[in-house]
Amino acid sequence: MDQDDLPRARQDAADQLSKEDLDSYSQEELLERVALLEAEIARVKAQHARAADHRKAADALFGSPPQSGQAG
């Protein structure tokens, strides 16, 4: 998979989830699906926090990159 295809692939996955017919799911299956999605959200948020911490550490060590629109 080409690097340029990644955002599109992610969007396709989100589209697929949002278009899935949920009528055939029982109440229990819907709750299981919610739990799985919440677990995935927690996983993504944890990765985001790790990435933010890594960025803070790099900025502390090497200095912050110049902000766009500011003279460096």
Side-chain angles (χ1 to χ4, degrees):
M1 178 178 286
D2 189 87
Q3 196 70 5
D4 293 337
D5 294 335
L6 286 177
R8 182 69 196 149
R10 290 178 185 142
Q11 185 62 42
D12 288 346
D15 286 346
Q16 184 179 358
L17 278 174
S18 68
K19 291 177 182 174
E20 185 177 356
D21 182 17
L22 301 176
D23 291 338
S24 63
Y25 286 86
S26 69
Q27 288 180 333
E28 184 177 324
E29 289 170 327
L30 289 168
L31 290 176
E32 289 173 7
R33 182 183 173 96
V34 168
L36 288 170
L37 292 170
E38 287 174 340
E40 178 61 7
I41 289 167
R43 186 179 78 90
V44 171
K45 285 183 175 183
Q47 179 62 33
H48 180 268
R50 285 190 297 274
D53 288 345
H54 186 259
R55 178 58 182 256
K56 286 179 195 174
D59 287 348
L61 185 60
F62 300 111
S64 298
Q67 299 294 318
S68 57
Q70 293 182 350

